Amino acid sequence: MKNNLKTILFYIFFSITVGLIVAGLDFILIKGIEFGSKIRNENLKICLLLLPFSGVLTAHLYKVYGKGSGKGVGYVVEAVGNDEMKIPKRMAIFSIIATWFSHIFGASVAGVGAGIQIGASVSGIVERALGKKLSLDTKQLRSTLISSG
């Protein structure tokens, strides 16, 4: 009974925490996209000329600092089917920044992929933290939790 209560509490706190964090980060993502689009529209020629350089810079940042974050949505989909895989903590931040760069410089990207990566990254962080706090082994729940993010 006590373990069931822990699991129910885990799901409640997980849902609330992830929902609030992801909503906040998605709001920041969307506001950044709007701002980046405004900059691009006002400076279209310069931004389009700098597009290749922004792509190289983004790829470089992912390679040097990303630690697995550059695998994107494909990695998230793979992690959903594999309880052993962990979503990199920094995936959310990198996907936000890369999406902003893309919109500023005129690349054709949507925010949906970034939203998926944000949700998965936040879910992974919260799952590990709450699992430890409530002394639960959440390994078998990981794919469900990542999907819910």
Side-chain angles (χ1 to χ4, degrees):
M1 179 73 174
K2 188 176 181 182
N3 200 23
N4 287 342
L5 181 60
K6 272 187 181 181
T7 304
I8 291 168
L9 286 173
F10 173 81
Y11 278 121
I12 291 169
F13 287 117
F14 178 85
S15 301
I16 292 169
T17 306
V18 170
L20 290 172
I21 295 170
V22 171
L25 289 174
D26 283 347
F27 177 79
I28 292 168
L29 172 71
I30 290 167
K31 288 299 175 186
I33 289 172
E34 288 173 358
F35 181 72
S37 296
K38 182 180 176 186
I39 290 172
R40 182 195 61 242
N41 291 338
E42 292 172 359
N43 306 288
L44 187 60
K45 289 179 183 177
I46 294 169
C47 288
L48 289 178
L49 286 173
L50 294 175
L51 177 61
F53 301 106
S54 75
V56 170
L57 176 63
T58 302
H60 176 73
L61 290 174
Y62 267 111
K63 184 175 182 178
V64 174
Y65 302 106
K67 295 191 180 184
S69 299
K71 297 176 183 175
V73 176
Y75 187 81
V76 173
V77 171
E78 193 178 333
V80 167
N82 184 344
D83 292 335
E84 299 297 318
M85 290 178 69
K86 289 185 179 179
I87 302 292
K89 292 178 183 176
R90 55 186 78 191
M91 182 178 273
I93 298 302
F94 272 84
S95 64
I96 289 171
I97 292 169
T99 302
W100 287 347
F101 269 23
S102 299
H103 279 273
I104 289 170
F105 294 104
S108 178
V109 298
V112 175
I116 291 169
Q117 292 174 65
I118 291 167
S121 181
V122 170
S123 291
I125 293 167
V126 172
E127 174 252 325
R128 289 187 289 273
L130 279 179
K132 276 184 189 175
K133 192 123 184 129
L134 295 173
S135 303
L136 283 173
D137 180 19
T138 58
K139 220 178 202 179
Q140 68 277 11
L141 305 172
R142 188 167 290 140
S143 63
T144 302
L145 300 176
I146 290 170
S147 297
S148 68

